[in-house]
Amino acid sequence: MVDPLKLDYQLCFSLYTSARVIVRKYKPFLDPLNLTYTQYICLLVLWEKDKISVKELGEKLLLDSGTLTPLIKKLEKQGYLNRIRSKSDERMISIELSDKGYALKDIAKDIPKKISDSLNIDDALAYQLKISLDEFIQKNPE
């Protein structure tokens, strides 16, 4: 009989551990840029679509405002982005990349390939894992 409380049978632990391993792989590439992984994924969103609301950024990253606000403030302090308050509603804040933020994209462009090379799995398996996890996330929204 399978013991349902055995750690080896826990999907959550495998996902948690895998996420930690992958995020740790980013560290040597992000440290020289003085970025955390969460700051990096925030910039990925902005490099894809600049000038978005804080709300939209949070929805894209699945982060709440309590996590997102300090992250945005730190990136602003580093000179990578600007926060812009709406003139019609001061509660609405948009984020846009600064020139330094745009320039960082060119510096960071090789990171995905370096991460891919460091994962020790073939591209087909990596792609299938991504598809499966995306399906899982879609079926289990927060």
Side-chain angles (χ1 to χ4, degrees), residues 24-40:
R24 223 179 341 207
K25 296 260 185 195
Y26 278 87
K27 192 166 175 40
F29 307 115
L30 297 178
D31 278 355
L33 304 176
N34 197 28
L35 293 174
T36 64
Y37 175 77
T38 313
Q39 290 170 331
Y40 173 70

Side-chain angles (χ1 to χ4, degrees), residues 63-119:
L63 295 175
D64 62 41
S65 63
T67 302
L68 201 52
T69 300
L71 172 81
I72 290 168
K73 286 182 178 180
K74 179 132 190 212
L75 287 169
E76 183 178 41
K77 186 176 179 182
Q78 290 174 285
Y80 294 128
L81 55 81
N82 300 305
R83 289 182 296 160
I84 302 158
R85 287 202 183 274
S86 168
K87 291 181 174 123
S88 61
D89 184 350
E90 288 191 8
R91 296 172 296 172
M92 301 296 294
I93 300 173
S94 293
I95 308 296
E96 70 177 9
L97 288 167
S98 66
D99 290 342
K100 185 177 177 182
Y102 279 113
L104 186 61
K105 181 179 182 179
D106 191 51
I107 296 167
K109 72 180 182 296
D110 295 329
I111 291 175
K113 173 72 171 125
K114 290 175 182 177
I115 294 300
S116 178
D117 290 347
S118 74
L119 288 179

